Amino acid sequence: MPLDRLGRPLRDLRISVTDRCNFRCTYCMPREIFGRDFEFLRREDLLTFEEITRLTQLFAHLGVEKIRLTGGEPLLRRDLESLVEMLAHVKGIRDLTITTNGSLLTREKARALKDAGLHRISISLDSLDDDVFRAMNDVNFPVQRVLDAIDAANEAGLWPIKIDMVVKRGVNEKSIVEMARRFRGTGHIVRFIEYMDVGTTNGWRMEDVVPSREVVERIGREWPVEPAHPNYFGEVAERWKYRDGEGEFGVISSVTQPFCGSCTRARLTADGQLYLCLFATEGHDLRQGLRHRASDEEILDAIRVAWRGRDDRYSEIRSSETAGLAKVEMSRIGG
Ligand code: SF4
């Protein structure tokens, strides 16, 4: 298992299966940039399911145990359950999950993903206030349909269901307690995510960040809470549990409490570029080798060399100097 320059192992691989999305969330894919004329990846640019599976086998050989499928919106990729089935059979993968906006997650789809071998699911929902949510996704998509998707995932047994909410000051912080109230006692885990300066298009400002500390305080004023131990080394969310036993929630504090020291995540774009950090400016092309008859050992070496050379810790060095970096867009690597 290769270690990077900061002694971190490679454990998690996030695989983007498409750079397209049917939402235009203002903090990720603003419509002004990702409009009608935006050139998304062509079909032939995308890794095939066989290529993704081969890469996953090689990453598993190097220690990867957890796979998260992302996008854009991953359920836009046709017949995704076939890929899930292929990945579910990869030796060494113990945790297979997906992050989706829920818009295409019907009962049939949830059941099909579960039957194919998906273990669990994360569904994004930034507010229960319909006007706020419709404005944030910027395609007028209603809250109720995401709640229906959460029910569909629940019925299919894709547990635990994590519900990801990006909190932006002046936009949806009033929804924090409402979200906590709605999912307390359900077994579902809300994760409150600090608004991040991902990519180069979302106009990020520090004053728009609601620190996780404030999120915990707001919830703690309603119900007594206490910190809970991480489930594993490198877990992204800091866990908090309700003292009355009504479950837990998480906060993801990339801006105010960076966690780069335990970051074991690599990211693969839909066209086969390996990124070593969410805020990286460059990737390592793995598709070239796949499509030019490289041997498994040659591709393993390419991954090893990339990972061993990794010293990324963007969130720890974020400053006015890093503000202008040409960081990869979130919709290309899926968070
Ligand atoms: S900023 Fe980069 S190195 Fe730090 S936790 Fe995020 S992805 Fe990992």
Side-chain angles (χ1 to χ4, degrees):
M1 184 189 288
L3 299 179
D4 72 9
R5 289 208 187 150
L6 305 182
R8 300 167 293 187
L10 170 53
R11 285 267 175 79
D12 302 358
L13 180 64
R14 298 182 173 201
I15 303 175
S16 168
V17 294
T18 177
D19 61 340
R20 295 168 191 262
C21 187
N22 53 354
F23 281 13
R24 286 293 176 274
C25 299
T26 50
Y27 55 80
C28 172
M29 226 176 165
R31 169 186 299 287
E32 314 76 70
I33 311 290
F34 298 90
R36 278 179 198 290
D37 309 327
F38 187 84
E39 284 189 25
F40 290 100
L41 292 171
R42 300 164 307 163
R43 189 163 183 75
E44 57 272 28
D45 298 330
L46 301 179
L47 295 184
T48 64
F49 289 172
E50 290 70 22
E51 288 171 330
I52 294 173
T53 304
R54 182 178 173 205
L55 281 180
T56 303
Q57 286 158 343
L58 297 173
F59 275 97
H61 184 75
L62 295 173
V64 164
E65 300 170 339
K66 176 180 168 184
I67 298 290
R68 178 179 294 280
L69 297 176
T70 67
E73 170 46 44
L75 296 184
L76 282 173
R77 184 90 187 242
R78 214 174 300 145
D79 194 23
L80 193 71
E81 45 271 33
S82 299
L83 174 62
V84 168
E85 189 160 2
M86 294 157 86
L87 298 180
H89 290 92
V90 173
K91 198 161 161 279
I93 300 301
R94 291 186 307 107
D95 187 8
L96 180 54
T97 184
I98 190 171
T99 298
T100 171
N101 63 26
S103 59
L104 302 167
L105 191 68
T106 59
R107 280 180 168 68
E108 298 69 35
K109 191 70 167 179
R111 168 60 47 204
L113 290 167
K114 175 70 180 177
D115 292 348
L118 192 69
H119 298 159
R120 57 190 182 88
I121 195 165
S122 296
I123 299 176
S124 308
L125 179 60
D126 294 322
S127 179
L128 289 166
D129 179 315
D130 208 43
D131 295 338
V132 171
F133 183 57
R134 286 172 187 261
M136 288 187 83
N137 64 54
D138 204 12
V139 292
N140 215 21
F141 198 83
V143 167
Q144 188 53 52
R145 287 198 40 206
V146 181
L147 295 175
D148 295 345
I150 293 169
D151 290 344
N154 191 40
E155 278 166 29
L158 292 167
W159 306 313
I161 299 173
K162 300 202 171 159
I163 295 150
D164 291 347
M165 172 182 171
V166 173
V167 185
K168 190 175 176 186
R169 175 109 36 223
V171 177
N172 63 340
E173 74 267 34
K174 289 198 183 75
S175 304
I176 294 168
V177 171
E178 207 189 344
M179 286 282 280
R181 180 174 288 114
R182 172 71 187 234
F183 295 108
R184 250 170 59 84
T186 64
H188 306 333
I189 300 169
V190 181
R191 301 189 308 171
F192 300 93
I193 305 172
E194 286 183 345
Y195 171 46
M196 293 180 279
D197 51 335
V198 286
T200 61
T201 62
N202 67 4
W204 185 84
R205 304 176 309 161
M206 188 63 197
E207 53 264 45
D208 297 331
V209 175
V210 177
S212 291
R213 196 185 51 256
E214 181 182 328
V215 171
V216 175
E217 278 164 15
R218 284 176 180 244
I219 296 173
R221 280 200 288 272
E222 298 289 323
W223 308 276
V225 298
E226 61 190 18
H229 291 295
N231 290 310
Y232 56 90
F233 175 79
E235 184 170 23
V236 176
E238 183 188 280
R239 299 173 61 215
W240 287 81
K241 58 183 185 188
Y242 297 105
R243 283 225 178 103
D244 60 6
E246 290 294 294
E248 64 178 272
F249 64 90
V251 290
I252 298 179
S253 324
S254 164
V255 179
T256 62
Q257 297 161 54
F259 38 82
C260 303
S262 62
C263 179
T264 60
R265 290 170 293 285
R267 293 162 169 94
L268 191 63
T269 64
D271 57 348
Q273 306 297 313
L274 172 65
Y275 282 82
L276 303 174
C277 173
L278 177 59
F279 303 94
T281 54
E282 280 174 18
H284 304 258
D285 184 0
L286 297 181
R287 187 184 61 183
Q288 176 85 4
L290 285 171
R291 297 194 174 171
H292 291 83
R293 302 181 189 289
S295 68
D296 283 356
E297 205 39 55
E298 285 166 329
I299 298 175
L300 280 169
D301 266 351
I303 301 169
R304 280 193 198 102
V305 168
W307 188 260
R308 287 197 176 121
R310 177 191 191 230
D311 59 0
D312 296 72
R313 55 190 190 90
Y314 175 88
S315 285
E316 289 177 356
I317 60 169
R318 179 185 280 110
S319 70
S320 53
E321 267 134 58
T322 59
L325 289 173
K327 294 165 278 167
V328 61
E329 291 304 327
M330 175 84 146
S331 56
R332 270 191 42 76
I333 50 174

